[in-house]
Amino acid sequence: MGVEQENGESEKILPPIEQELADELDAKVKKYLRGEGANLEVLKDKKLRGQLSVREELYGISAKAAAKTEKWLMPSEGGYLETEGLEKTWRIKQEAIGREVDISSSRKQYDIVLPDLGPYTLDFTPSGRYVAVAGRKGHLAVVDMKDMKLIREIQVRETTRDIAFLHNELFFAAAQKKYTYIYNRDGVELHCLKEHGAVSRLQFLRNHFLLASINKYGQLHYQDITTGQMVANFRTGFGRTDVMQVNPFNGVIALGHSGGTVSMWKPTTAAPLVKMLCHPGPITAMAFHPNGHLMATSGKERKIKIWDVRKFEVIQTISGHAKTLDFSQKGLLAAASGSFVQILGDFSGSQTYSRYINHSMVKGYQIGKVLFRPYEDVLGIGHSMGWSSILIPGSGEPNFDTWLANPFETPKQRQEKEIRSLLDKLPPETIMLDPSRIGTVRPPKSREKPTKQEVEAKIEGAIDAAKNVEFKKKTKGRNKPSKRVKKRKEVIEKAKRPFFDQQMEDNPTKKKQKISQVNELPTSLQRFARKKATA
Amino acid sequence: MYLSNRKSKTTFNLLKFNPPSFLLQRLPLLRVSVLKLLLQYRALVPRSLFTCCSCWENSCLRRSAFKTSLLSGLLRSLLLFTLHPHLLHCQLSSSLLFPFWTPPYCRSLKLRMKVKVVSRSTDEFTRERSQDLQRVFRNFDPNLRSQEKAIEYVRAVNAAKLDKIFARPFIGAMDGHIDAVSCMAKNPNYLKGIFSGSMDGDIRLWDMASRRTVCRFPGHQGAIRGLTVSTDGRTLVSCGTDCTVRLWDVPVATLMESDGTDRSPQAVYTGKNSFWNVDHQWEGDLFATAGAQVDIWNHNRSQPVNSFAWGTDTVISIRFNPGEPNLLAASASDRSIILYDLRLQSPARKVIMRTKTNSICWNPMEPMNFTAANEDCNCYSYDARKLDEAKCVHKDHVSAVMDIDYSPTGREFVTGSYDRTVRIFQYNGGHSREIYHTKRMQRVFCVKFSCDASYIISGSDDTNLRLWKAKASEQLGVLLPREKKRHEYHEAIKGRYKHLPEVKRIVRHRHLPKPIYKAGITLREMTEAERRKEERRKAHSAPGSIVKEPLRKRRIIKEVE
C-alpha cells in the first residue's frame, strides 16, 4: 500500500503505520538495488538513454518485488539476545543461554575433549552442515553437524597445520608436515600436492575452484583443483606467515606479515595489489566481513583494528589481543586469545564495534581458531584440548537459499550443484579489488594533447585578459605611470606562468639530460668527469 | 522455528498443565466457592498472584467455563507454585505479572533476558515423503552471492558458446527438380505446403514435414518465372516464359498425403510476351503479372482487366501491398522501382537507382515500408511515402541479391544471393544477423520465410530446395517450461553483455567459405578506397563545393512522380 503512494505524490502524508511500512520497504529495496543507478542525464544519445532508462526502471521494479516477497520467502527471523534494565549481554553465560533456548539448540553447546592430538583447527562447508577438524598431531575428522554424526576420522601421524574443505563436503585438503594432501570423505588420499611445499595455511576460493596456500618460505600458490593446473606461484618476499584470509567479496587473498603489513594478492599479478602497514608489530590474525567492506586485523601490540577496505582507513581501534578473528554472516566479530573468546557487535549501525558476548573456556585451553558456523547461531572453537561449540544469538543468517548453500542437501542436489558451479566457474582474471567493474565500459579516453596553435591561442587569450585588468586607484606616489607599467608587466607574466610551467613539464629539460650523459660514461672514465664542487 | 520467548509462553504452559488425576477426581466433590478458596489461601499466596488468578478466573467466566474448571485452574496454579518452584520461576520470572515480588532463587539468577537462536527442525525443511518434490527456500540477499556480476558474465560467455555449439541450422534438402529452382510460393492457408517452380517448367508441391513431393503440376512449356497462391489457399497461379498464365486447384490439405498425382490446370490464359513474375492480391481475387508491362488479371477472365506501362523496359518483379490491397510495387530492368495504384489510370511513382532491383518485399507489419533486393549486393529499405532516401541500407552480401522475403513478424527478412549464401537481416539492421551456406548449395534464386517464422526455405541453381531453421541454435520440438526458462535466461544475459568484447566476438563469429570471405575483404577494400578518394577530393576542393551524401541517398538517381 505504502509503495503505491510513494510512487505518486510524495508530499502526501500517510498514516503513521503505513509510513513506517513504507520506510521499512525502502530500506529493503535499497539492499536489492545493489547501489545507485547510472546517471543517464549526461548521455547525448537519445535512443540509448531511452533503452537504459527502461532497463533502470526494470531494475527498480525487480528490487521492489524482491523486497515485497521477502516477507513470504524469508519467514525465519534472526536470533537475538536482549536484556532488560541493568543487565548486560556480555555478563550472560553460555549456561544461561542454554537453559533458555530449545532443546535442539542447546545441544549445539558442547565441548569435545581430545587431549592427545590437539591443538585443533576446523573448517565448515558453506552450508554449515559439515565440519572438518584437524589436530596438530594428525587427527583428521569430518563430522555431520545436523545429526552430530562422525562421518570419518583418520590419523595421518604427521603434523597437520590446516584443513580446508574443497567445493563440497566430499573432498578436503590438509596441510601436513611436508606436503598438502587431498582426501575424500572416506579418508582416501587422492592427491599429494608436492609443489605447494610445507604449507602453513590453506584457503579455498569457491567461485574460482582455486586452492590457495602459503608455505613456510612465504610462497603463495594458487592451484586450480578442477584441472590440476598451477595457476600462480608467487614469492611474497615478506617472510614466513600463517595469517591468510580470502576476502569473500572479491576473492582477493590477504596475507598478514611479521612486519605489520597486510598484502593483498590476486593470481594474475606477481606483485601485491595492496601493501598496507596495519600494525607496528607482527600481525596475528585477520578476518573479512562477508560484504567485503570491513577487515579486522590484530597485532602483537594488543590492538584489534577495524579497517574500511574500500578506503584503506582505520575505522576503529580496539585494545585487546586476538590470536584468531572471524566475522559472522550478520557481521559479529569473534576474537579469541588464550582461553577467552570475545564477541563484538556493531549495534549502533555506524560500524563501531562494542562487546556483545564474552566466553571463557576452561583455564589452560589455548584457543587456536574460532569460526562462525554459517546459517546457524553457533561459534566453533578449536583449541588445545579438542573443539567446542557455543551459541552466539544473532550471528548467523536465518534464511538459507536452497540453490546457494543448503544445510538439508540431498546427494542428488549436491551432484547437480557441483555441475552447476563448475559451469559457473570463474576464471582467475575475475579476481580484482573491485569486482563490480566487470561488465562495465571503460571511461572515455582523456582528450589528447592540445595542438601548438591551441596552446598559443590560449596564452594570447590569457595575456589579453591580463592586459585589460583594471587597477585600483592607489594613493599618491604608488600610482605613478612607471609603477603601473611595471605592475601590468607583472600581471602578464603571472598569467603566462602556468602555461610555461606546463610546457616545462611536458618537455624534459636539457640540463637533466646533461647530468644523465655524465652518468652514462663507462665506469672507468667516470673519474675524469667534472665533479660537483663540495659545499 | 521454536520460539523460546518466555513472555508469550507463560499462559500457554499454565493452561496445558494437567493436575494429577487424584485431584481431578475429587474436584466435583469440592463444593467450595472460588472466593472462599482464595480467602483460605490468602495468607499463602502473594497478593499479585491472587489478583492474577482472580483476573484469569474472570476471563474464564466470561468464556462460560465450568466452575470446576475454574477450580482446577486455580488449584493448578497453586500446585505449580508449591510443587514445582523451578518451573514457575522460569515461566514467570520474565513476565510482568510480578513486578514487585520475585522468589529468592529468581533474584540470584537474574534472568530477565530474551533469547532466540536459529534452530531448524529437519521436518520443516525436508519433504515428507519420497514422492514429494524437494522443498526450495530462497533468499535473494546480495550479500550471500559474492561476485555475482562475474558469475553472470561467465554465464553470458558460456551461453554465447553454447549457442555456437548448438547452431545446426540446416534441416534437410528437398530434391526432385531436374533444373534450377526459379521461384517459390508459400500457401498462406497451409503451413506445411510449399510450391516450387523450376527452369524446365516443372511445378511441385512439397510437404515440408516429410520433405517429399506431394504432387506435380505439369503443363508449362518453358521456364516457370512466377508462382503465387491466393489468400484463401485454393488457387495457384503460375506464369513463365511460354507466355501463359495458368491457374491450378490446390489439393485439399487432407489429400496431401496422396503422392505422385499429376494435376491439370483449371485455366490457361495466354499473353503476348513472356511473363517474369506474378503476385496475388492479399484481399481480393486479382493478381498481377510482370513482363513487358504490368497486367492485372481476374481469376475468371482470359484477358487482363488492366495494364500499366511506364517506359519500354521489362518489369521483373512485382508485389502487392499487404495493407492496402490496391497498391503494388514493381521493379523494372531500367533500374527503377515503380509504385502502382489500381484505382488510378497510370502508375503513381517511380524511383530510379543506380543498379537494378531484383526483388521487392513489403514489410507485413509496417505495410508502408518495403525492402528492395538490389544488384549491387545491398538491400534498401524504403518508406513508400518518401522515396528520395532509403530508410536503411542492409549490407553484407558479396554478390547480387536475388530474392527477399519478410518474416510474418516483420522484424526480420531473409535474402538469397548469387554468392551462394542465404542471409537473415533485422528489419532495421545494417548488417546480417546470420549467414547460411553449404558446400553443395549453388546460386540462390528464391527464398521464403515459413508462415510461422521459424523456418526458411531456399531454392537454388543445384535443383534443390533447402530447409533451414530461422534461429540457428533453436531447440525444435515441445519445450518443457524449465527448458524454456533456461533459454530465456540465456537470451537475456547474452543481451546484457553483448557489448563486451568476448561475448561480441563469439556471437559475431561465422565460418565463411573462402571465396565469400575473400570477396568480402575485396568489397570492403573497394568501398574504403572510394571513401578515401572522396575525402581527398573534398580536402583539395573549395570548402562546401563537394557535399558527401549518405549511402542511403547516393544510390538513388532520381525520383519521378
Side-chain angles (χ1 to χ4, degrees):
Chain A
M1 282 184 285
V3 177
E4 281 166 21
Q5 278 158 348
E6 171 215 75
N7 260 345
E9 305 93 46
S10 54
E11 301 303 314
K12 213 172 183 179
I13 297 161
L14 298 170
I17 297 171
E18 281 185 24
Q19 183 67 48
E20 205 172 280
L21 282 176
D23 290 347
E24 208 173 284
L25 194 70
D26 273 353
K28 283 180 188 169
V29 167
K30 203 182 163 196
K31 181 174 77 177
Y32 290 110
L33 272 178
R34 296 159 161 89
E36 295 276 302
N39 180 19
L40 304 179
E41 297 295 307
V42 294
L43 285 179
K44 279 177 191 160
D45 190 344
K46 257 188 188 173
K47 198 173 167 189
L48 182 67
R49 191 166 57 199
Q51 286 169 351
L52 290 180
S53 69
V54 167
R55 197 137 287 278
E56 287 291 336
E57 208 168 285
L58 280 178
Y59 292 151
I61 289 168
S62 69
K64 201 168 274 178
K68 274 184 179 173
T69 49
E70 199 179 67
K71 186 167 51 173
W72 312 109
L73 288 179
M74 298 157 61
S76 319
E77 270 180 49
Y80 54 80
L81 174 62
E82 282 171 16
T83 50
E84 282 172 19
L86 291 171
E87 279 177 353
K88 302 293 178 196
T89 47
W90 56 88
R91 297 228 176 87
I92 293 167
K93 295 269 184 295
Q94 280 296 313
E95 301 86 69
I97 293 175
R99 266 203 303 276
E100 288 294 294
V101 298
D102 56 315
I103 296 168
S104 63
S105 293
S106 64
R107 278 201 199 117
K108 287 170 193 161
Q109 293 177 318
Y110 56 83
D111 288 307
I112 290 178
V113 180
L114 299 158
D116 300 331
L117 301 166
Y120 277 83
T121 177
L122 60 152
D123 187 32
F124 288 106
T125 52
S127 66
R129 179 165 172 186
Y130 297 93
V131 65
V133 291
R136 180 86 182 174
K137 290 184 184 136
H139 176 213
L140 309 179
V142 178
V143 182
D144 183 352
M145 303 282 273
K146 202 184 91 192
D147 25 357
M148 288 309 291
K149 204 174 67 187
L150 180 69
I151 290 174
R152 174 67 66 173
E153 61 177 335
I154 50 172
Q155 166 63 286
V156 295
R157 292 185 189 160
E158 216 177 28
T159 308
T160 308
R161 295 189 201 88
D162 202 5
I163 191 163
F165 270 119
L166 301 188
H167 58 284
N168 58 25
E169 74 274 11
L170 296 190
F171 304 100
F172 63 91
Q176 294 177 21
K177 190 181 174 191
K178 260 179 107 176
Y179 306 123
T180 302
Y181 294 87
I182 293 179
Y183 298 94
N184 74 359
R185 190 170 58 169
D186 302 324
V188 177
E189 179 192 319
L190 301 176
H191 298 285
C192 172
L193 311 177
K194 287 187 178 169
E195 261 183 278
H196 290 251
V199 166
S200 56
R201 232 358 128 240
L202 281 172
Q203 289 273 303
F204 183 66
L205 283 82
R206 283 173 213 297
N207 289 334
H208 306 83
F209 282 81
L210 292 177
L211 182 68
S213 70
I214 181 86
N215 69 12
K216 68 177 182 185
Y217 304 111
Q219 281 174 317
L220 179 64
H221 291 264
Y222 285 92
Q223 187 161 28
D224 189 330
I225 61 144
T226 54
T227 58
Q229 185 203 0
M230 189 62 85
V231 173
N233 172 10
F234 304 134
R235 285 169 56 193
T236 59
F238 292 105
R240 179 177 203 158
T241 180
D242 61 345
V243 182
M244 175 159 92
Q245 197 65 43
V246 173
N247 186 344
F249 170 64
N250 52 16
V252 167
I253 279 190
L255 298 170
H257 304 287
S258 55
T261 50
V262 166
S263 58
M264 297 190 183
W265 300 79
K266 67 174 183 178
T268 43
T269 43
L273 296 171
V274 175
K275 274 189 287 185
M276 52 197 288
L277 185 65
C278 294
H279 291 274
I283 286 175
T284 53
M286 203 162 44
F288 282 98
H289 195 281
N291 69 11
H293 301 158
L294 293 184
M295 175 174 81
T297 58
S298 74
K300 272 267 162 65
E301 89 284 5
R302 301 191 164 272
K303 288 276 190 302
I304 299 170
K305 288 185 183 175
I306 314 262
W307 298 80
D308 187 334
V309 193
R310 293 171 293 183
K311 293 196 280 184
F312 304 109
E313 275 177 6
V314 183
I315 293 176
Q316 197 188 354
T317 308
I318 305 158
S319 58
H321 184 236
K323 199 166 171 281
T324 165
L325 288 168
D326 191 37
F327 270 106
S328 81
Q329 280 179 319
K330 285 288 184 190
L332 300 181
L333 175 65
S337 73
S339 56
F340 182 67
V341 187
Q342 189 174 33
I343 315 294
L344 306 161
D346 166 25
F347 300 106
S348 58
S350 57
Q351 295 182 329
T352 46
Y353 276 76
S354 53
R355 57 188 166 167
Y356 176 46
I357 288 177
N358 291 347
H359 177 66
S360 299
M361 315 273 314
V362 180
K363 264 211 176 127
Y365 282 17
Q366 290 295 314
I367 295 174
K369 174 126 177 168
V370 286
L371 202 59
F372 280 103
R373 187 171 158 199
Y375 302 101
E376 291 282 354
D377 287 340
V378 166
L379 177 72
I381 304 169
H383 49 77
S384 54
M385 293 291 277
W387 77 88
S388 312
S389 153
I390 58 171
L391 286 178
I392 308 294
S395 68
E397 169 67 46
N399 298 290
F400 63 88
D401 191 317
T402 308
W403 307 121
L404 279 179
N406 184 3
F408 299 95
E409 200 169 53
T410 59
K412 194 89 185 167
Q413 283 174 326
R414 187 189 59 220
Q415 286 163 10
E416 271 190 25
K417 201 180 149 209
E418 191 173 21
I419 287 168
R420 275 193 198 291
S421 56
L422 274 171
L423 281 175
D424 295 340
K425 181 183 135 186
L426 298 182
E429 296 85 53
T430 53
I431 300 178
M432 55 179 79
L433 275 178
D434 181 11
S436 60
R437 268 180 44 210
I438 293 172
T440 52
V441 190
R442 205 177 284 160
K445 268 186 189 169
S446 57
R447 229 174 126 253
E448 281 171 28
K449 262 189 181 174
T451 59
K452 210 176 176 186
Q453 288 162 348
E454 278 176 347
V455 172
E456 273 170 12
K458 258 189 181 176
I459 295 175
E460 288 286 314
I463 290 170
D464 283 347
K467 274 179 182 169
N468 295 332
V469 169
E470 288 278 323
F471 291 129
K472 266 195 261 175
K473 290 258 161 62
K474 290 284 173 70
T475 49
K476 201 182 168 191
R478 303 177 80 186
N479 207 15
K480 273 190 271 181
S482 60
K483 291 229 166 161
R484 286 177 63 171
V485 167
K486 204 179 158 193
K487 176 97 185 182
R488 178 80 62 195
K489 264 187 185 170
E490 271 175 22
V491 168
I492 290 170
E493 282 304 309
K494 212 177 175 184
K496 278 183 191 170
R497 171 121 260 179
F499 295 102
F500 288 131
D501 284 351
Q502 186 64 38
Q503 277 180 358
M504 296 282 270
E505 267 177 34
D506 293 345
N507 310 324
T509 52
K510 283 171 189 173
K511 260 189 183 175
K512 271 184 187 169
Q513 282 174 353
K514 254 186 187 173
I515 289 164
S516 63
Q517 270 174 8
V518 170
N519 289 340
E520 275 164 17
L521 285 172
T523 40
S524 54
L525 295 178
Q526 264 177 12
R527 60 184 149 156
F528 300 113
R530 181 172 287 174
K531 273 170 195 163
K532 256 189 185 174
T534 46
Chain B
M1 198 155 292
Y2 186 85
L3 209 88
S4 46
N5 187 346
R6 295 298 164 180
K7 210 187 259 180
S8 54
K9 269 193 71 183
T10 311
T11 44
F12 288 120
N13 266 5
L14 280 176
L15 287 171
K16 270 182 205 162
F17 186 80
N18 292 319
S21 51
F22 72 90
L23 247 171
L24 276 179
Q25 283 160 8
R26 280 190 198 174
L27 269 175
L29 303 173
L30 287 171
R31 295 196 171 275
V32 196
S33 81
V34 185
L35 209 65
K36 252 186 188 175
L37 196 99
L38 277 170
L39 286 171
Q40 208 173 336
Y41 284 96
R42 199 173 182 175
L44 222 152
V45 181
R47 196 181 168 74
S48 49
L49 181 63
F50 177 79
T51 47
C52 145
C53 289
S54 55
C55 286
W56 182 53
E57 174 189 294
N58 278 340
S59 66
C60 287
L61 269 175
R62 255 183 270 128
R63 275 183 259 138
S64 71
F66 269 37
K67 243 181 197 178
T68 47
S69 78
L70 286 177
L71 271 172
S72 71
L74 186 63
L75 283 168
R76 216 182 291 163
S77 60
L78 289 174
L79 204 78
L80 270 171
F81 182 66
T82 48
L83 297 182
H84 214 303
H86 179 71
L87 192 64
L88 185 71
H89 122 71
C90 270
Q91 284 155 355
L92 298 185
S93 60
S94 65
S95 75
L96 293 168
L97 290 174
F98 300 94
F100 313 110
W101 180 83
T102 43
Y105 38 81
C106 282
R107 262 177 237 145
S108 67
L109 281 170
K110 278 194 229 164
L111 286 171
R112 280 196 183 184
M113 62 183 188
K114 284 194 281 179
V115 188
K116 193 195 145 196
V117 292
V118 174
S119 157
R120 303 186 182 94
S121 68
T122 313
D123 302 344
E124 268 179 69
F125 290 89
T126 48
R127 56 184 178 182
E128 283 172 12
R129 295 167 299 168
S130 57
Q131 296 97 310
D132 293 348
L133 290 173
Q134 292 287 358
R135 305 194 64 185
V136 169
F137 300 88
R138 301 311 309 267
N139 183 352
F140 295 106
D141 192 348
N143 272 346
L144 295 180
R145 292 141 219 269
S146 58
Q147 297 196 298
E148 51 182 350
K149 216 167 174 190
I151 289 176
E152 206 172 51
Y153 168 69
V154 167
R155 281 183 186 158
V157 174
N158 286 345
K161 284 180 185 168
L162 282 179
D163 237 22
K164 282 273 103 61
I165 290 169
F166 291 120
R168 295 273 178 273
F170 182 60
I171 296 172
M174 297 183 262
D175 67 328
H177 281 297
I178 50 168
D179 207 341
V181 182
S182 58
C183 54
M184 288 191 296
K186 50 190 176 188
N187 188 343
N189 218 17
Y190 188 64
L191 200 58
K192 290 200 292 179
I194 181 103
F195 299 93
S196 69
S198 79
M199 286 298 193
D200 64 342
D202 187 19
I203 302 173
R204 281 169 187 253
L205 169 58
W206 301 87
D207 182 44
M208 281 199 276
S210 59
R211 301 205 295 276
R212 281 192 311 182
T213 308
V214 174
C215 63
R216 299 169 67 173
F217 303 87
H220 273 289
Q221 298 302 311
I224 313 285
R225 284 297 184 169
L227 272 180
T228 185
V229 183
S230 65
T231 318
D232 58 7
R234 294 222 181 108
T235 317
L236 168 73
V237 185
S238 68
C239 66
T241 46
D242 60 352
C243 307
T244 56
V245 175
R246 285 165 201 251
L247 273 65
W248 313 80
D249 267 335
V250 174
V252 192
T254 48
L255 295 175
M256 279 220 162
E257 301 310 318
S258 61
D259 199 355
T261 48
D262 287 355
R263 320 285 298 186
S264 53
Q266 179 193 338
V268 182
Y269 305 142
T270 317
K272 277 180 225 134
N273 306 90
S274 69
F275 293 105
W276 277 81
N277 205 339
V278 63
D279 193 41
H280 201 279
Q281 211 175 10
W282 284 61
E283 309 276 333
D285 54 355
L286 297 180
F287 61 89
T289 56
Q293 77 267 8
V294 172
D295 292 327
I296 312 296
W297 304 73
N298 196 324
H299 281 200
N300 308 322
R301 306 238 175 153
S302 61
Q303 292 299 316
V305 283
N306 205 346
S307 285
F308 296 99
W310 193 343
T312 51
D313 285 286
T314 318
V315 179
I316 48 178
S317 126
I318 195 157
R319 240 11 126 79
F320 271 98
N321 187 306
E324 176 53 65
N326 289 320
L327 192 65
L328 61 104
S331 70
S333 53
D334 64 345
R335 304 168 295 167
S336 64
I337 299 169
I338 313 165
L339 291 182
Y340 296 92
D341 193 334
L342 299 189
R343 293 162 296 192
L344 299 177
Q345 284 306 307
S346 56
R349 293 167 100 190
K350 176 165 162 180
V351 57
I352 300 173
M353 298 183 68
R354 283 186 192 277
T355 38
K356 198 172 76 175
T357 296
N358 284 326
S359 177
I360 288 176
C361 191
W362 293 90
N363 185 337
M365 282 294 143
E366 296 165 356
M368 61 282 184
N369 298 336
F370 66 87
T371 305
N374 206 291
E375 197 88 324
D376 67 350
C377 319
N378 295 341
C379 296
Y380 296 88
S381 285
Y382 283 99
D383 188 335
R385 301 163 297 186
K386 196 168 163 288
L387 290 173
D388 59 335
E389 186 185 15
K391 271 166 72 84
C392 188
V393 183
H394 312 274
K395 293 183 271 194
D396 258 357
H397 276 299
V398 293
S399 189
V401 188
M402 301 305 289
D403 197 13
I404 181 168
D405 191 37
Y406 258 98
S407 150
T409 59
R411 299 288 98 176
E412 50 194 25
F413 61 83
V414 58
T415 57
S417 162
Y418 207 66
D419 62 10
R420 306 188 177 93
T421 60
V422 172
R423 282 187 188 260
I424 304 169
F425 291 84
Q426 302 285 342
Y427 77 108
N428 55 1
H431 288 276
S432 63
R433 139 177 111 67
E434 195 66 79
I435 176 170
Y436 293 157
H437 56 84
T438 65
K439 247 180 195 169
R440 297 180 181 195
M441 187 161 76
Q442 297 302 315
R443 322 278 182 201
V444 183
F445 288 134
C446 48
V447 281
K448 283 278 181 258
F449 234 111
S450 77
C451 289
D452 58 351
S454 53
Y455 297 99
I456 283 164
I457 306 105
S458 69
S460 48
D461 208 4
D462 57 317
T463 73
N464 281 328
L465 275 80
R466 286 191 168 74
L467 191 61
W468 309 85
K469 285 194 273 185
K471 290 193 188 87
S473 55
E474 195 185 28
Q475 187 180 343
L476 294 180
V478 182
L479 294 187
L480 294 174
R482 256 166 74 185
E483 290 172 324
K484 215 171 167 182
K485 224 170 142 187
R486 200 87 210 141
H487 290 315
E488 279 165 6
Y489 177 70
H490 280 167
E491 278 307 307
I493 50 172
K494 257 193 312 176
R496 189 171 183 186
Y497 290 96
K498 68 182 171 201
H499 299 297
L500 292 188
E502 184 74 359
V503 179
K504 199 178 186 176
R505 184 182 65 79
I506 297 169
V507 168
R508 274 189 54 196
H509 176 78
R510 295 283 180 281
H511 172 72
L512 291 182
K514 203 170 179 184
I516 290 165
Y517 182 69
K518 294 275 182 200
I521 291 173
T522 320
L523 214 61
R524 271 197 295 281
E525 263 169 19
M526 279 158 64
T527 49
E528 183 63 16
E530 209 168 288
R531 187 190 62 80
R532 254 179 319 190
K533 190 171 186 180
E534 193 73 15
E535 253 176 28
R536 283 180 190 149
R537 189 170 282 161
K538 196 179 174 184
H540 290 90
S541 23
S545 63
I546 293 180
V547 182
K548 200 193 174 198
E549 279 200 316
L551 185 59
R552 287 169 293 148
K553 274 189 176 171
R554 217 185 306 155
R555 304 297 299 180
I556 299 170
I557 293 174
K558 65 174 176 180
E559 193 193 350
V560 187
E561 290 275 340

